[in-house]
Amino acid sequence: MHDLVNLPHSISLAVLNHLPDAIVVVNREGQPLLCNGQAKQLLHNYLTSLWQVDETSPFRILDRHHCPLTPDQLPLRRVLAGDVLENEEFILLQVGGGAVVWVAISGGPCQDTTEAAGIISVRNITRRKQQETQLHQQALHDQLTGLSNRNAFVNQVNAVLAQGRSPNSLALLFIDLDRFKEVNDNLGHGVGNELLAELGHRLRRLAPAHSLVARLGGDEFAVLLEHSDCPTQAPILASQLRDLIAQPFDLQQHDIYIDASIGIALGPAQYLHAEDWLRDADTAMYQIKNIPDSHWFVFDGALQVKQNQRLQVEMGLRQALQNGELRLHYQPIVTISTQAIHGFEALVRWQHPERGLLMPGQFIDTAEATGLIIPLGWWVLEEACRQMQAWTQAFPAMADLTISVNMSSKQFSQKNLVQRVGDTLARTGFDPHRLKIEITEGVLIDHSESIITILEQLRDMGIRLAVDDFGTGYSSLSYLHRFPFDSLKIDRSFIENADQDYEKLEILQSVVRLAWNLGLDVVAEGIETQRHYAQLKALRCELGQGYLFSRPLTPAAVEDILVNQPTLQLPNS
Ligand code: C2E
Ligand code: MG
Ligand code: MG
């Protein structure tokens, strides 16, 4: 074997040429003494580019930020000046053609030879760089539309906020598609994706050149408009965007019509973070759902007050959950013919440390909007089952009574819902046959097909299911047979007016009759007067709930009844 020092020149060259990196050795003057095949290939023999700014070279060497190097920064110069380079990234820019080659250069001065003064190795890392750029692009862009994604948009908006702008020179438009879910459900995700991609094009086309356009996720988009008069211009743009969205989409031989709601928040005055700004635009967007035929809404002072209240409720509610400030009250549900208690509905209250006892109307919407309804809902289920089981053991009269628990649409988005309900029942020892879960029609609309399986699984466990507030939502009995319900709770607005309004009475009659045909129990909500009671009795409605029988009761008041009066007596009856 040859000693490394005595290695024949041909072998040294073979070794050097075999290396994947370009190797260049230079003397003190920067003249190349040796270079391998890779170096010739990579630098096309213009090795001087590494040593001096050479106007005749087809390359310019730039730093990683694309800035040209000064002579002192050239890699070989630095090596000869005694620097050691470790995988430092540079760009070789081809003059004219503009081809970009990314290189990582390592090297240093040669100490053990008098002839050679410096050595560098140059690795072509263009592929890796391209992959990095691609990943970076993917991290910031929505694949479907090519628009910025939420992360990128938030960064861009934060950058604009950091630069500072005059008041009302910016507007953030939050766009939410109406009924997009129907497109996905009915025509498939392929068509849904095409629609989103096409929508991305439309938004980009209409939005002014300097505005930022992004897909925030799902069917939500955003535009940041920059204009000297945004209070006037933003609503104009919103109307135009909405009209453009409302034009039919011709996809896979379907003419698809969708609509949009657009919330506008003007800025930048009060905003420090993009997320706060987006939240206000989102809040403005939600107002549209309550105003018929409106398509855009501007966030204003009144909404600001509401928003602040909501934030306070949200913060308070988080603490309430931790500090055990929630309570359950129980409203009796009675058998109309006998007035005996059939069961109770568990209704949540918040014992607020400063504001006293709060009703669901004061916090349920916020809980829904913030997702806090999920932990709240689990607490309600657990507490209702625990309390019922404790009563069952203490009072014989309780043995068969049922408990109705309200569940929100948000809870049905949870994958492990069935499992958790089962666990709660097992933990508390409460009989599933005595648990009724009340859901509103909204849950059925939000979750459509996917919910049938969940409802069937709950029912297989023995749990009974009720449609709550029937008549306020979709109000169509025709779809009810598709879902495995046991009872129908007719909203109190029907009962309220049935004694004066003949038409309401007719509707009430037909709902009771149809529910019977579907094999559903009917529960009438909001029975307040003797007249209501008489009417429902005449309609042969089985169960009722209302102030006439009893208001929602504290646990102590329920115990009082259980001890003294297992059959509720109506006043004056
Ligand atoms: P709901 O489920 O329809 O509950 C019935 C509501 O009607 C209760 O209001 C009850 O107090 C009220 N009510 C009962 N009888 C009468 C009557 O004769 N006249 C009048 N005017 N009202 C009557 P509450 O307790 O304020 O609850 C309001 C809503 O809040 C509930 O409507 C339900 O949607 C929601 N909610 C209450 N507790 C929970 C809960 O634990 N989880 C969820 N997700 N929602 C809940
Ligand atoms: Mg209810
Ligand atoms: Mg109800």
Side-chain angles (χ1 to χ4, degrees), residues 81-115:
D83 273 4
V84 174
L85 311 185
E86 274 182 49
N87 275 319
E88 239 176 78
E89 292 179 356
F90 296 92
I91 296 167
L92 299 177
L93 181 72
Q94 201 160 40
V95 177
V100 167
V101 177
W102 275 87
V103 290
I105 299 183
S106 300
C110 297
Q111 264 117 23
D112 37 8
T113 145
T114 47
E115 262 178 277

Side-chain angles (χ1 to χ4, degrees), residues 345-347 404-406 438-440 468-469 489 525 545:
E345 177 172 6
L347 295 161
S404 299
V405 172
N406 296 284
E438 296 190 0
I439 61 176
T440 57
D468 202 357
D469 303 341
K489 294 189 80 174
E525 291 186 308
Q545 178 180 355

